Amino acid sequence: MANHLEEGKKFLDTVMYYYDKAAKHTGLPKGLLERIRHCNSVYKVTFPVEIDGEIHNIEGIRVQHSMHKLPTKGGIRYSPEVSEDEVKALATLMTFKCAVVNVPFGGAKGGVKIDPRKVSEKVLEKVTRRFATELIKKNLIGPAVDVPAPDYGTGGREMGWIADTYMTFKFGDTDAQGCVTGKPIGIGGIRGRTEATGLGVFYGLREFFNFEEDTKKIGLTTGLAGKTVIVQGLGNVGYHAAKFLQETGAKIVGIAEYEGGIFDANGLDVQAVFKHRQASKSILNYPGATNVENSLAMLEMECDILVPAALENQITEANADRVKAKVIAEAANGPITMQAEEVLLKKGVVIIPDLYLNAGGVTVSYFEWLKNLSNVRFGRMGKRAEEKSYSKIVDTVEALTGNKLTFEERASIVQGADEEDIVRSGLEDTMIGSYREIRDALVEKPELGDLRTAAFYVSIRKIALSYQMLGIFP
Ligand code: NAD
């Protein structure tokens, strides 16, 4: 079996193992648990695209894992390594991810077998528009049906092409922009989406470090300030997570990319490392840091928090026992295999699981979808009214105290919430509230054993309730 097929199978087996581990604690009927576990539908399509004068048959896939809530939701990945099992694993994770953060969607995922770095923008546009058309033909995309988003190898540009294609076919549908999220702002995107997943990772970690009884168990104090962090993958999620962690006082001592890693016990400046990599095309040779040629070895270096933010299957039975971090924050999807998890849990490592920790992206995608359906920017209706009320309060305080605020002081108090403020507030509330639900489940039912099992347990029960409310299952 080709390596990527094996990797995809390993990933799917891991997700299923985590599901089964949690499902047995729920006491729910077997038939219902099987319904929740299985992928609802898999659509595979091949379509011809001309590349450099030759016809290539491109393979695309869309998996809708669960329709207990509609629309279904999940990114589209562009990679030559896309496999059915990998997309199924990611679609399955999306179902539980949405449930754990109370986003009312079912899970889905898509993939197109193409290397976006090896073809021109024109070809990518042709492929994206054709794939979107194939989905439209089968009614597999739409604001009330299935709503894709960016994933590995895709971004706002591709989402814009999908939205434009959909809107061309559905002329006159005022909800049409909500057929896809992660769009550029100009065509219905939302402020705060780009950094949402990394910011969510930060909020999730901050919440873990608020509970003294939990940090004490692993020999750490509360709070993120001063904690040492290694990040794998300085892409969208890794960069933003590292940036917010650094801003709060954590020390980013190591960053790994596929070409190697860099380490500095005094802490790296994330923004400067990012710029250095952009300019020199490599993370290596960053001034003052030590080069680590073997990128994977970075995962085994001394730190309090390890943040894998690249790809799946990075911590395996081959390296798990050498991992020294006390907390692993799964910013990527599926970075730890099931065999590795057993080793890590035995060592007492706390794993903050992907289905919760990287759900910031889908949470803000949900906000974008809401914005598209209501056809109005968040904050547009209330911002000025809020500012007038706050201004009246400041006027009253000034009159009562006889003290006048400076222009800047007044401006910072009276400012009403704009779209970005509202999005961040919703994201922060979601990450805090969901962490507490997971932690409460673990406190109430210690036999769940770990945060991942507790997160699956919480989400399985929510999904089961949806089916039960539909009257399908007892
Ligand atoms: P990205 O492409 O922006 O970043 C990935 C980074 O990892 C790149 O810089 C790449 O060079 C690096 N990388 C690749 N292989 C590596 C290796 N072997 N060692 C070290 N670095 C390596 O992708 P992203 O959007 O940041 O996604 C990263 C992970 O987060 C994926 O697992 C994705 O599914 C998951 N995720 C992303 C989002 C999102 O909103 N973007 C949401 C949820 C989950």
Side-chain angles (χ1 to χ4, degrees), residues 112-157:
V112 176
K113 258 194 189 187
I114 190 157
D115 188 340
R117 288 167 302 187
K118 294 205 173 132
V119 295
S120 67
E121 189 175 13
K122 257 205 150 35
V123 168
L124 275 180
E125 180 172 356
K126 258 199 268 184
V127 168
T128 306
R129 287 186 183 277
R130 180 63 194 256
F131 184 52
T133 307
E134 295 295 335
L135 296 178
I136 294 166
K137 260 163 56 178
K138 298 281 177 176
N139 198 26
L140 287 169
I141 181 171
V145 179
D146 186 5
V147 182
D151 193 68
Y152 197 83
T154 57
R157 180 184 62 177

Side-chain angles (χ1 to χ4, degrees), residues 11 77 90 94 97 109 117 149-154 193-198 231-240 255-260 274 277 295-296 299 308-312 314 330-335 354 357-362 365:
F11 188 12
R77 190 170 267 210
L90 289 161
M94 280 306 294
K97 195 178 289 192
K109 205 81 182 190
R117 288 167 302 187
D151 193 68
Y152 197 83
T154 57
R193 173 63 183 89
T194 310
E195 67 273 32
T197 307
V231 179
Q232 184 201 35
L234 198 61
N236 177 311
V237 179
Y239 166 74
H240 286 107
I255 302 179
E257 259 294 337
Y258 62 82
E259 67 270 19
F274 184 79
R277 184 166 189 255
S295 175
L296 262 184
L299 302 177
L311 286 172
E312 53 266 20
Q314 295 301 298
E330 290 189 326
N333 283 313
D354 49 7
L357 196 68
N358 69 31
V362 74
S365 278

Side-chain angles (χ1 to χ4, degrees), residues 395-471:
D395 290 345
T396 312
V397 172
E398 281 181 342
L400 287 172
T401 61
N403 289 328
K404 257 207 141 354
L405 296 182
T406 63
F407 176 79
E408 288 76 21
E409 284 168 340
R410 174 179 274 269
S412 78
I413 294 173
V414 304
Q415 197 190 29
D418 61 19
E419 184 165 86
E420 195 172 329
D421 298 325
I422 293 170
V423 163
R424 285 200 177 192
S425 156
L427 175 60
E428 185 173 7
D429 189 57
T430 301
M431 294 310 292
I432 293 172
S434 302
Y435 183 77
R436 292 188 184 175
E437 277 183 41
I438 297 166
R439 186 179 181 277
D440 286 351
L442 192 52
V443 171
E444 260 170 49
K445 249 178 145 12
E447 63 272 26
L448 290 171
D450 57 89
L451 287 168
R452 188 192 315 278
T453 310
F456 267 97
Y457 172 83
V458 163
S459 54
I460 293 169
R461 281 169 45 114
K462 287 183 195 171
I463 298 164
L465 196 62
S466 303
Y467 279 116
Q468 285 163 333
M469 283 183 357
L470 289 171

Side-chain angles (χ1 to χ4, degrees), residues 208-217 220-222 439:
F208 169 79
F209 277 94
N210 272 340
F211 290 90
E212 196 176 4
E213 56 271 48
D214 298 343
T215 60
K216 237 186 187 168
K217 279 188 204 150
L220 293 176
T221 54
T222 54
R439 186 179 181 277

